[in-house]
Amino acid sequence: MAFWIALAVLVAGIVGGLVYAVLRGLALWRKIKRTGRSFSAETARIAEASAGIQTHLDRASASGSQLSEASARLAASRAKLDVQLQAIREARHTVRRLLWFLPGV
């Protein structure tokens, strides 16, 4: 009789362990599926954000080239202005030397 009780306890333990393992396996499978969906959703979000970043980088690159062109034009204009200002200074100096006798010139 003790043998049959021990055998029943053994069988119940094995069946209980198998049921527990199967239930835990199913829970793990569901969690893996949820995680896969999350990964695919996040991957899509990251790809969309990357495309937006690329658009901004392209715009920044275009703006950078426009800025360098504008900077070159500004440097050329500044050089012309410096030449013209120097010519005005020289003309004033010459006029002052010639008209030294007039006040305020």
Side-chain angles (χ1 to χ4, degrees), residues 23-60:
L23 290 177
R24 295 292 293 180
L26 287 173
L28 178 63
W29 176 254
R30 289 183 191 126
K31 188 177 277 190
I32 288 172
K33 284 179 23 180
R34 271 196 313 264
T35 303
R37 283 193 298 266
S38 296
F39 280 150
S40 63
E42 286 299 311
T43 302
R45 187 187 65 78
I46 290 170
E48 185 177 315
S50 296
I53 290 170
Q54 185 61 44
T55 302
H56 289 299
L57 286 174
D58 292 341
R59 287 181 187 165

Side-chain angles (χ1 to χ4, degrees), residues 92 95-97 99-105:
R92 280 186 178 171
V95 168
R96 279 191 196 125
R97 279 188 17 219
L99 302 175
W100 58 270
F101 55 88
L102 292 176
V105 176

Side-chain angles (χ1 to χ4, degrees), residues 66-82:
Q66 290 174 350
L67 179 61
S68 64
E69 292 171 5
S71 178
R73 289 193 309 269
L74 178 63
S77 295
R78 181 64 191 186
K80 289 177 186 176
L81 177 64
D82 288 341

